[in-house]
Amino acid sequence: MSKRLIRIAARFASVALTFALGACYVVVSATPASATPTNSQILYVNASSATPTAGCASSANPCTTIQAGITAAETYANTAVTVQVAAGTYNENDTITVPSGDTLTIQGAGASATIIDGAVGGTTSIVTIGSGAVTIYSLSVNNGPGVYVGGGVGVNAGAVILSNDTFSNDTANYGGGVGVSGGSVTLSNDTFSHDRAFLTGNTGGQGGGVFENSGTTVTITSSTFSNDSAAFTGGAVNNLQGTLSLSADTLVGNSAVSYGGGVF
C-alpha cells in the first residue's frame, strides 16, 4: 500500500467500517455506545431547613423542596448527581428531565421517613419523569392525585429505577401507583398498597399498582402488591403489550372488576 493510501486510511480510522465476508458482515466502530458521567455531585434537601441556599450544595443549608434539588441537579453536565432528601413530608409535584450524559439519584431516608405527598392536589403525577437515567430510592409516594397516567410516578421516557419505595393511596386512570408511557422501568423491593385505577367514562381503569404501555419494558422484582384495585383490568399490574418481567413478587388482596385481579 502506498504512503498516500496509508494516510487516507488513518484519517478515516474513526469511521465505522463494514466488511462483507460471504454472508457474514462485521461492523467496527470506534464510537462508544454510551457515555458514563466522569463527575459526581451530592445535593441536599431538608423540609425543615431554616436557611436554605440556592443550588442545594450545602449540607448545612439545604434546599427545602425536592424540586429545588432536581432543578439544581439539571444544571450540571456529565455528572452523576445524588439528591439526598432528609426525613419529612414534602407536599409537592416534581418534574424530572435529566440532561444527556448525566444521571440523577433521589435518595430518601427510608420509605417510612421521607414522604412525597400529593394530598395537596394537582393535575400531574406526584413525580413526572420526562427523560434520562433516574433512580428514586428509599422514600414513599402517597396520595397521588387522580391523573391520567401514573398517580404516584409517571414515566414518559428514560431509564428509571424505583427501589425500596412505597406507593400508597395513589390514583389514576392508568397506573395508580406507577404509569409507564415510554422508556424502561425497573422496580425492586417496592411496596404498593391501596393504589387504584379508575374509569372516566369508558377510559382507564387499568393497573391499580402499575400500568405498562406498549413499546415499554418493565421489570418488577421482590415487590409487594396488596389491596390495589382497578375498575377494569389488572388490579396490581396491567401490561398493554409491553415487555413485562415479574420475579419473586408478592400479590395479596388485589382486585379488578373485569379481568386480572393480580396481573393482566
Side-chain angles (χ1 to χ4, degrees), residues 170-258:
D170 300 306
T171 61
N173 286 131
Y174 298 93
V178 175
V180 184
S181 300
S184 64
V185 177
T186 298
L187 300 104
S188 175
N189 296 300
D190 292 318
T191 299
F192 292 80
S193 177
H194 294 94
D195 301 302
R196 182 171 61 92
F198 61 90
L199 280 168
T200 300
N202 294 321
T203 299
Q206 299 182 41
V210 175
F211 172 80
E212 177 185 7
N213 203 1
S214 60
T216 63
T217 300
V218 172
T219 302
I220 307 175
T221 304
S222 301
S223 295
T224 299
F225 296 81
S226 64
N227 300 304
D228 300 307
S229 62
F232 185 36
T233 56
V237 179
N238 196 113
N239 174 21
L240 186 65
Q241 300 180 349
T243 300
L244 174 65
S245 174
L246 301 170
S247 176
D249 301 301
T250 300
L251 286 75
V252 179
N254 304 288
S255 62
V257 171
S258 296

Side-chain angles (χ1 to χ4, degrees), residues 139-155:
L139 51 76
S140 286
V141 182
N142 299 341
N143 300 310
V147 298
Y148 189 62
V149 179
V153 173
V155 181

Side-chain angles (χ1 to χ4, degrees), residues 17-87:
L17 302 178
T18 303
F19 299 92
L21 302 176
C24 178
Y25 293 87
V26 181
V27 179
V28 181
S29 175
T31 303
S34 61
T36 301
T38 57
N39 306 305
S40 62
Q41 178 67 49
I42 299 177
L43 304 179
Y44 303 90
V45 173
N46 190 328
S48 301
S49 177
T51 55
T53 55
C56 311
S58 169
S59 59
N61 305 104
C63 293
T64 56
T65 68
I66 298 171
Q67 185 63 68
I70 294 168
T71 300
E74 292 170 356
T75 65
Y76 290 85
N78 195 28
T79 303
V81 182
T82 298
V83 178
Q84 293 186 353
V85 185

